Amino acid sequence: MARVEVQNVQRAFGDHKAVDDVSITFEDGGFYALLGPSGSGKTTLLRMIAGFEFPDSGSIRIDGAAVETVPANKRRIGMVFQNYALFPHMSVAANVAFGLEVSGQKGKDVRRAVSEVLDLVQLGDFGKRRPHQLSGGQRQRVALARAIVTKPRVLLLDEPLSALDKALRTTMQGELKRIQREVGVTTIFVTHDQDEALSIADQIGILKDGRIVQSGAPEEIYDRPNSEFAATFLGDANILDGTVVEGRLRLDNGAVVALPLDSTQTSGRMRCAIRPERVRLAVRNAGGRAEPGATVVWGTVRRRLFSGSFSRYAVDCGGSELQAIAQRGATRDLAIGTEVELSWDRRDLIALS
Amino acid sequence: MAVTGMTRTNGLKKALPLLLPAYGWLTLAIFLPLSAMVYFSLLTTMSSTTPSLTLANYAAFFSDPLYAVLLLRSVKLALLVMMICVVIGFPAAYVLAKIFKGRAREAIFLIVILPFWSNSLVRVFSWSMVLREGGILDVVLNAILPFKVSVDLMYSYPAVVIGLVHSYLPYMVLTCYLSLQAIDDALIDAARSLGASRTTILRRVIAPLALPGVLAGSALIFIPVIGSFMEPRILGGRGGTLYGTVIEDQFTAVYNWPLGAALSFILLAVVLAILLAAAPVLRKAA
Ligand SMILES: Nc1ncnc2c1ncn2[C@@H]1O[C@H](COP(=O)(O)OP(=O)(O)OP(=O)(O)O)[C@@H](O)[C@H]1O
Ligand SMILES: [Mg+2]
């Protein structure tokens, strides 16, 4: 169990900076997700922590000790690979035992540890099988068992669930979370699936073009994204552009709305975001009045996307389109062409830099 | 991948037209000449117009211990050449498959398979220029070393070994390369992250996974080297008398085709026996 500090780490391939001045700290026992689009440097960062790749500059410390020059096999870091990378010529038990045997453990100790960890990943009866006789989810568990049986200081997972189908993925997310809590190892999980990151991790770091755009707790990043990229990459967001005039925000479509609560800006251009589920929809002139402090924008329903328990509306507001999500229990379904008023609490409006 | 019986038979039916030319060619090029050789090996003589059938040619092998001695010598030579090819070829293939990338890999690959492109006779004769006294090796060594050495490897057993290794090394490099290439780099990374040193990875991950390639290469080398005659004759001189050269003599010098054919079949039997004996090991590796 350990704390990992990445400081000003850079790594370039040719003149392309795969990881560009990244600083992030992974606290002891935390479950971190690194999230970012393809090519954003997630794997490269992970491989540098693992020791397969070395930074051009910057430092990586594990429990305070610099490890940049320590080879991968001396770092005591467990890794789960996207394609599992199980040794095809060894049985499941032999795969799991490999790391223990390499570190010099023998016989009974190895067998006990192997059967314990196989029980932990619920594969107690599969020790004798070969990897090719397992399903994708089972291979995934073996890979995890093999990585944690050596009691690594840090567990790294590079898109470990991306090869699984949706249902299995959800199950495995729960499993992973349970096992991580049980073992308590500092875990860094790379994914480009935002839902996965949100549901599984205690902390999320968002990468873009080799840089950390934002990091923090899932709720924090979701509710307070600091950039348009963070707002739209993690979840959906309506982006509103406008000008600050007399303490209010005049949107480019003409509507005037209240400034975000935490905004201190007094003039000039401003870009804000509002989550679709924070936008309330009502039929215009339905009689109900907007709450005081709420902002109202008028528009016309253009499209409706039905998703079972909720509907997603695209509303045309004077040329710009806003998305709104309505729970179907709370609101009547609105027909296309309905004149609506959109409102939101100004606390939910997010100022973007 | 599970293949159901259904698709397998279907596949066979579809593949038949594709396989026919190959089988036709094999019949023509191997089965017919081989049948002719069986017939020859049972003849008393080639010259007589009414030859009679006999087993005397096979008996000759057992009546003169020289044949067995030479055969044993050829087997030892083949084992030696094979092992040298493993020792040189495997690391070369490893570097090629796992360390070099892109352009460098292509360039070195070319160098490795270049011997395939040159006429084997030219190759062997060029070795004679290198190995003889006053040859290239002699001159170069004397230019580098401060003391005088006289290098004359020509017409010796080592010369035969060198020539054969040079001729057959590409097979080993290619088969090893193919099996090493197929090993996912992530396996090596996984082993490293589990704490394995480079030698442990080589021993426990790479070697077992590359074994089929090593064995295939070994078989590809062992079989022709046992019967080789050109390199031994040109580079070996008197030291190059081997089972293969004796067979060749029967066909080209003595014109005793029946004996040559019989000796060939005995060689074939021995090779098959050796492969059969090695089969359990081979099956386990595959
Ligand atoms: N060995 C390499 N040689 C050259 N360029 C590389 C190498 N590894 C990565 N890159 C480049 O570095 C950048 C970051 O790659 P990386 O694999 O870290 O992305 P990623 O975030 O893991 O993407 P993905 O989600 O697709 O896996 C990419 O532009 C990639 O092309
Ligand atoms: Mg990646």
Side-chain angles (χ1 to χ4, degrees), chain A residues 1-4 26-32 63 153 184-187:
Chain A
M1 323 297 116
R3 172 188 159 100
V4 182
F26 305 97
E27 297 294 345
D28 190 2
F31 197 146
Y32 291 81
D63 274 343
R153 299 188 289 177
V185 58
T186 312
T187 302

Side-chain angles (χ1 to χ4, degrees), chain B residues 20-67:
Chain B
L20 271 178
Y23 278 118
W25 172 247
L26 282 179
T27 313
L28 267 175
I30 295 181
F31 187 69
L32 292 181
L34 219 55
S35 310
M37 290 302 275
V38 173
Y39 175 65
F40 285 146
S41 73
L42 296 171
L43 295 180
T44 44
T45 162
M46 285 289 287
S47 47
S48 157
T49 43
T50 51
S52 51
L53 297 179
T54 174
L55 281 173
N57 295 314
Y58 288 92
F61 176 86
F62 298 98
S63 58
D64 189 343
L66 180 66
Y67 294 120

Side-chain angles (χ1 to χ4, degrees), chain A residues 116-281:
Chain A
E116 264 174 30
V117 79
L118 284 180
D119 284 340
L120 180 69
V121 298
Q122 302 179 342
L123 284 178
D125 302 329
F126 289 74
K128 289 206 172 59
R129 293 223 199 162
R130 289 292 186 89
H132 69 263
Q133 298 167 317
L134 300 178
S135 72
Q138 289 164 343
R139 280 179 219 183
Q140 183 55 63
R141 286 162 205 253
V142 176
L144 183 62
R146 186 181 65 176
I148 59 178
V149 73
T150 52
K151 307 246 180 311
R153 299 188 289 177
V154 184
L155 178 63
L156 307 175
L157 305 109
D158 192 357
E159 306 202 22
L161 307 180
S162 61
L164 306 179
D165 65 53
K166 182 100 180 104
L168 189 55
R169 201 151 78 199
T170 315
T171 320
M172 281 305 295
Q173 284 167 6
E175 281 287 279
L176 202 58
K177 187 103 184 141
R178 169 182 71 83
I179 292 165
Q180 196 268 346
R181 222 178 271 131
E182 221 157 296
V183 180
V185 58
T186 312
T187 302
I188 308 173
F189 181 100
V190 160
T191 177
H192 56 233
D193 180 339
Q194 41 152 312
D195 293 330
E196 193 163 281
L198 285 173
S199 60
I200 205 168
D202 312 330
Q203 295 280 318
I204 294 178
I206 298 184
L207 271 112
K208 182 190 179 221
D209 300 333
R211 290 171 167 277
I212 299 266
V213 177
Q214 191 175 4
S215 62
E219 296 82 0
E220 186 187 328
I221 298 195
Y222 187 82
D223 292 339
R224 293 284 136 204
N226 64 3
S227 61
E228 179 179 347
F229 179 79
T232 51
F233 191 72
L234 197 69
D236 294 322
N238 295 300
I239 301 298
L240 307 173
D241 282 308
T243 316
V244 180
V245 186
E246 296 162 0
R248 295 185 56 86
L249 179 63
R250 180 185 295 277
L251 298 180
D252 291 348
N253 65 12
V256 178
V257 300
L259 283 174
L261 201 61
D262 51 3
S263 167
T264 53
Q265 199 173 330
T266 55
S267 66
R269 300 287 298 169
M270 177 180 251
R271 170 166 286 190
C272 297
I274 178 92
R275 297 283 182 198
E277 70 274 16
R278 299 290 183 182
V279 177
R280 282 188 299 268
L281 265 184

Side-chain angles (χ1 to χ4, degrees), chain A residues 13 16 18 37-44 159 192:
Chain A
F13 296 105
H16 175 78
S38 188
S40 57
K42 307 181 295 288
T43 298
T44 308
E159 306 202 22
H192 56 233

